[in-house]
């Protein structure tokens, strides 16, 4: 990315941020997720600076990228929710327990302490964003995303 592209992206950021946040907030259940979606959109814009700057409609390019980013976040969260639900259902079939509701940690004591379980539970059940989980763990968002990816793989394999 050259200086001219950087200046154009900065200008677009200042012009578009509030509107993009409003759009993302209307599509996502939490403000932290909306902020993550907008940040991811501008990260993509920086990676594809030439495509953005050469676009006949750079603002439209950003909005379209935000729309796809929001769809990817929703798809990813739903995938994790289904994966965790599938795993919990399989475990529930094997375990004999009363009709009373039992906390996940008690029901799945053998794996509840594992980082993989905690990550998926925080995202799927508690609805935390990558940003929130990364801050809790003191790691970067990229590292958190990679851990979530590995956790999903761990549960698929097991």
């Amino acid at each position: 990315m050259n200086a001219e592209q950087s200046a154009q992206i900065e200008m677009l950021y200042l012009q578009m941020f509030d509107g993009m946040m409003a759009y993302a907030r209307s599509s996502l259940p939490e403000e932290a997720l909306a902020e993550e979606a907008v940040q991811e959109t501008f990260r993509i814009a920086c990676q594809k600076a030439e495509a953005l700057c050469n676009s006949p409609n750079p603002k439209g390019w950003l909005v379209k990228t935000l729309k796809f980013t929001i769809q990817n976040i929703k798809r990813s969260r739903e995938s994790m929710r289904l994966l965790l639900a599938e795993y919990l259902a399989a475990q529930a079939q094997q375990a004999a327990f009363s009709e009373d509701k039992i906390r996940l940690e008690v029901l799945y004591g053998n794996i509840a302490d594992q980082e993989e379980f905690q990550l998926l539970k925080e995202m799927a059940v508690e609805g935390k964003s990558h940003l929130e989980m990364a801050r809790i763990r003191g790691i970067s968002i990229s590292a958190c995303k990679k851990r979530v990816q590995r956790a999903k793989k761990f549960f698929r394999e097991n």
Side-chain angles (χ1 to χ4, degrees):
M1 173 168 53
N2 62 36
E4 184 181 314
Q5 293 169 335
S6 179
Q8 186 174 358
I9 291 172
E10 183 178 352
M11 182 190 68
L12 286 168
Y13 178 84
L14 294 172
Q15 290 175 351
M16 301 282 299
F17 182 80
D18 291 335
M20 290 173 70
M21 275 297 292
Y23 179 80
R25 270 192 231 117
S26 71
S27 299
L28 294 168
E30 298 166 26
E31 185 155 347
L33 279 176
E35 186 177 340
E36 190 173 306
V38 174
Q39 288 175 351
E40 179 69 9
T41 300
F42 278 101
R43 185 194 64 76
I44 292 167
C46 289
Q47 279 187 324
K48 299 183 177 188
E50 191 170 322
L52 171 64
C53 294
N54 292 336
S55 170
N57 182 4
K59 291 180 179 181
W61 190 97
L62 282 172
V63 171
K64 198 172 201 175
T65 302
L66 176 61
K67 176 182 162 188
F68 292 137
T69 300
I70 290 169
Q71 288 174 346
N72 287 339
I73 288 172
K74 286 180 175 180
R75 191 178 308 114
S76 175
R77 292 177 68 78
E78 182 63 15
S79 171
M80 281 186 279
R81 189 190 65 73
L82 290 174
L83 180 64
L84 187 59
E86 202 175 283
Y87 180 78
L88 295 176
Q91 292 296 320
Q93 290 175 353
Q94 295 175 2
F97 58 92
S98 70
E99 291 294 317
D100 297 337
K101 289 188 176 182
I102 301 173
R103 286 187 21 211
L104 291 175
E105 290 82 2
V106 174
L107 188 60
Y108 303 103
N110 58 332
I111 62 161
D113 292 332
Q114 293 181 6
E115 178 67 11
E116 292 88 356
F117 182 83
Q118 291 302 320
L119 278 168
L120 293 179
K121 179 181 158 228
E122 286 176 17
M123 273 196 109
V125 178
E126 298 172 15
K128 290 185 180 174
S129 68
H130 285 106
L131 175 65
E132 292 170 320
M133 294 188 310
R135 284 185 180 156
I136 290 168
R137 289 166 176 76
I139 59 175
S140 69
I141 295 174
S142 299
C144 184
K145 287 180 181 180
K146 191 64 176 177
R147 287 185 187 183
V148 169
Q149 180 184 4
R150 288 182 184 135
K152 288 162 69 174
K153 182 180 178 187
F154 172 79
F155 280 102
R156 273 192 211 105
E157 290 173 354
N158 292 313

